[in-house]
Every structure is written in structure tokens, then in C-alpha cells.
Amino acid sequence: MVFRTLIFLAAVWIGCEAMVCFHGICDHLPKRIPDKCTGSVIKNGGICGCYDTCAKQEGEQCEAELIRGRPPLGKCDNGLVCKHQPHMFIGAGECVKVNASNNSVRSTEHTVCQQKRIQSMIVMIVYQGQWFPRCDPEGKFYPQQCNNIGECFCVDVQTGVIDESTRVQGTANCEVATPQPTNTSV
């Protein structure tokens, strides 16, 4: 039974990898001409590059990272970048304006928490004690994390390193002690 499951999963994986563009696919797709675009037109931006598409505008869903076997979500217009949003499914993002102070925002940059979350979600094996990281809106780890058997523990919010001394069944106490100001007056 396990062998059959592994064979099935391998076939699904290979199918997703192969379910992309092949020579001559454009001959079988209807020709589309984008009309009423509010922004620019992306040449060959449609599925497999078979047709032109409208560029995505601010606030619209876009493709933050390539996921094989899935139709493209589209690219952002000039002056916008596709920023991954934690509330969206893997690979999806939202077109946002590039800040003048930080014009180096790239659509493929993820925080350590976001990277670990993506990695844990694409693993096809679920095991007892598996941990799916939870990230805050800034992409940092929430201080308390829990695994799939109800154990909770504290982690470093930047690195995700687990403090094993805090591992408990139920809620862990992850309060960070804030340093008290010292009186330096004479």
C-alpha cells in the first residue's frame, strides 16, 4: 500500500512538472487580443506565451513566484512589484508600488519564516510532530509556534530556532522580557 502511494505521488509530481508548455500548444489555443487594459500590455504574457495580456494594476493578484503546473497569475505594470502576501496561497502576491526609499523590493524575496512555511507546505509527507510555521504580517515568526500534535513552544522571532525548554502540551509562555530602563541621572 505504501509503495502504491509513493508511485502515485511520484506520478502526480511528474505530471505537474510536465503540465507546462510544449511545442505547438499555441496552435491549439484561441487567439486573444487584450482589450480595455487600464495599464500596459505584456507581450506574450499569457499561458505559454501564446498571447498578449493586460499588466496587473495596484492591488491586483499577481505571480510572486513561479509554481509549475499552474497557469500564470500575471505580471505587474511598470512601477509596481509583485509582493508575496502571507494571507494568499503559495506563489500568489499583490501588485504594490515601489517605495522610493526601498526600490529594491523583489517578488522572490521571502523572510526566513516565509521560506520555512513554504518548505513545510510542499513536503508531501506528514509526520507526527510536524510544524507549519506561522508568520506575522512583517514575515517574522510569531513567538509561539505549535506542531500538529498540540505541542507549543517558543521560537526566536528572526531565525525560528526553537527553545526546547519551552515545549509544552498546550500554550507556551513566550513573553519576552523587556529590559527596564536604568536611572542614569545624578
Side-chain angles (χ1 to χ4, degrees), residues 7-185:
I7 295 294
F8 173 74
L9 291 175
V12 168
W13 180 265
I14 291 168
C16 285
E17 289 292 314
M19 193 183 97
V20 288
C21 306
F22 55 86
H23 181 70
I25 191 170
C26 295
D27 300 336
H28 304 292
L29 293 175
K31 299 292 181 203
R32 294 185 189 176
I33 300 171
D35 58 343
K36 299 179 184 168
C37 292
T38 54
S40 62
V41 173
I42 298 176
K43 292 287 184 195
N44 302 319
I47 295 175
C48 299
C50 294
Y51 51 88
D52 301 339
T53 60
C54 296
K56 299 289 185 163
Q57 300 302 301
E58 187 174 8
E60 290 185 315
Q61 189 178 38
C62 54
E63 186 163 347
E65 63 185 271
L66 175 66
I67 303 293
R68 292 185 182 181
R70 183 193 73 199
L73 299 174
K75 296 182 178 163
C76 299
D77 208 347
N78 296 330
L80 302 172
V81 294
C82 189
K83 184 165 176 17
H84 176 73
Q85 302 294 323
H87 64 279
M88 294 182 161
F89 63 90
I90 295 176
E94 183 177 330
C95 291
V96 295
K97 285 185 180 175
V98 178
N99 295 336
S101 62
N102 185 13
N103 61 0
S104 64
V105 176
R106 305 272 319 157
S107 63
T108 57
E109 291 179 1
H110 295 290
T111 65
V112 174
C113 184
Q114 292 165 341
Q115 290 172 2
K116 285 187 177 188
R117 181 167 178 78
I118 290 168
Q119 289 170 350
S120 67
M121 293 175 76
I122 62 174
V123 172
M124 294 193 174
I125 300 171
V126 178
Y127 57 90
Q128 188 173 8
Q130 189 172 10
W131 168 38
F132 295 93
R134 293 180 328 127
C135 310
D136 68 13
E138 295 176 2
K140 297 178 184 176
F141 290 88
Y142 279 111
Q144 177 182 280
Q145 301 284 325
C146 300
N147 61 25
N148 64 359
I149 59 172
E151 292 176 333
C152 295
F153 43 87
C154 302
V155 300
D156 181 283
V157 295
Q158 297 293 333
T159 65
V161 173
I162 298 172
D163 179 356
E164 290 294 339
S165 68
T166 62
R167 188 179 294 268
V168 294
Q169 195 70 29
T171 305
N173 182 8
C174 299
E175 289 184 29
V176 179
T178 56
Q180 297 298 320
T182 56
N183 189 356
T184 58
S185 60

